[in-house]
Amino acid sequence: MVVMKVVARRPVSRARQIVLTASEWRGLETIAYSRTAAYQLVVRARIVLDAGDGHSNNAIAARRGVVVDTVRLWRGRYADHGLGGLIDRPRSGRPPRFTPLQRTQVKALACGLPAETGVPLSRWSSSDLAAEAVKSGIAESISSSTIRRILSGAALEPWQFQSWIFIRDPDFAAKAALVLDLYHRIWEGQPLAEDEYVISSDEKTSIQARCRCHPSLPPGLSRMMRVNHEYDRRGALSYLAAYDVARARVTGHCAAETGIAPFMALVENVMTSEPYA
């Protein structure tokens, strides 16, 4: 009697074939030799380039200092998804600690004035908001850094402020309407004719010619550029200009001083030039 023993062999896994076009090759080389790309992405691009050259997985692992499984992973990812396969897939990560409702309540708190909650402050800081969020029951505990992250997503910075002044003139709307209508070439409800123009004039004073007392020093090793703050005044001029609102034309001149005389010189200059003459 003859006894035959049959041994089943495991199938040998073959490396995925990588065939690169000229454009794919250039794109991978750009990443592989980049000085700003992430190191992991650079290594993955070099793995694919080696695979495109026909190297085996073991040879690529030895060349790039990684394990064979890493080569097999990114070689397969590129074969299936192209260049996008070299990017890490999104991970679930740690679940958010604060609910969307709590985040919204923090934003609403930051948009209100501290006096509305009885806090004796002129404006909120991140630490004050964190303390008030706990006090008002929004969260059991929350840090000031978390407050900043929540508010930065909505571009809120309550610790910054900007001053303004209320308009006190009761006739401001009527007076402003005349000027705004002229900017649209309208006077008393009627459009201006082609030979009628709207010109605005103004002056910029204290245009000084100045020279540094000492030359600036160029930057050096671990040293910023140095500029001396002292300077010599070499005279001052005023620039008077007339601006054609609709045609975006500027007519101007410099004068040694301000007053009615240089202003009338500007008017004369405008009224004697085309198309206003």
Side-chain angles (χ1 to χ4, degrees):
M1 182 177 64
V2 179
V3 179
M4 299 182 64
K5 184 177 181 181
V6 179
V7 178
R9 295 183 177 180
R10 295 180 57 187
V12 179
S13 60
R14 295 185 178 182
R16 302 288 296 276
Q17 188 71 17
I18 301 295
V19 179
L20 301 175
T21 64
S23 61
E24 291 174 336
W25 197 278
R26 287 193 299 269
L28 288 167
E29 282 189 331
T30 301
I31 299 174
Y33 297 104
S34 172
R35 295 185 178 182
T36 57
Y39 176 73
Q40 296 88 340
L41 186 59
V42 170
V43 173
R44 296 165 191 174
R46 293 178 179 178
I47 289 173
V48 177
L49 287 173
D50 290 342
D53 276 335
H55 295 286
S56 65
N57 287 347
N58 289 329
I60 297 173
R63 286 167 59 92
R64 302 306 171 192
V66 296
V67 298
V68 178
D69 287 342
T70 300
V71 177
R72 188 179 296 113
L73 169 65
W74 297 112
R75 188 170 186 162
R77 288 269 188 94
Y78 187 87
D80 292 334
H81 306 289
L83 193 60
L86 301 184
I87 307 299
D88 287 324
R89 293 174 179 174
R91 302 176 182 178
S92 59
R94 188 179 66 179
R97 181 181 174 187
F98 300 100
T99 64
L101 176 60
Q102 290 175 310
R103 292 173 174 269
T104 303
Q105 289 174 324
V106 168
K107 296 174 185 178
L109 181 63
C111 290
L113 296 175
E116 296 176 357
T117 59
V119 178
L121 297 172
S122 60
R123 60 182 184 269
W124 291 113
S125 67
S126 57
S127 56
D128 294 327
L129 283 170
E132 185 62 26
V134 174
K135 180 181 177 181
S136 60
I138 296 177
E140 293 184 0
S141 64
I142 187 171
S143 64
S144 59
S145 59
T146 301
I147 293 290
R148 284 184 174 269
R149 284 195 297 270
I150 293 174
L151 299 183
S152 63
L156 294 175
E157 295 180 329
W159 39 85
Q160 296 189 1
F161 67 96
Q162 182 179 11
S163 61
W164 82 96
I165 186 171
F166 285 106
I167 298 171
R168 297 186 176 91
D169 190 344
D171 300 326
F172 174 80
K175 295 177 180 178
L178 295 175
V179 178
L180 296 176
D181 284 347
L182 285 174
Y183 270 85
H184 289 85
R185 293 183 52 80
I186 297 175
W187 175 250
E188 295 183 348
Q190 299 296 325
L192 297 181
E194 289 298 325
D195 59 347
E196 295 178 319
Y197 307 96
V198 179
I199 298 177
S200 174
S201 62
D202 203 350
E203 63 173 322
K204 182 173 178 60
T205 58
S206 300
I207 302 178
Q208 298 185 18
R210 298 183 296 186
C211 178
R212 298 284 176 183
C213 297
H214 303 281
S216 300
L217 300 179
L221 184 62
S222 301
R223 188 190 69 194
M224 295 183 293
M225 179 179 180
R226 296 180 179 179
V227 179
N228 185 264
H229 74 282
E230 296 178 331
Y231 55 85
D232 290 328
R233 289 187 175 92
R234 301 296 179 86
L237 295 174
S238 295
Y239 179 71
L240 294 93
Y243 179 69
D244 187 328
V245 175
R247 293 165 180 79
R249 290 185 54 179
V250 178
T251 303
H253 69 92
C254 290
E257 58 184 8
T258 62
I260 189 61
F263 177 74
M264 292 306 298
L266 173 67
V267 174
E268 181 71 17
N269 189 10
V270 173
M271 299 306 293
T272 56
S273 61
E274 295 295 340
Y276 318 111

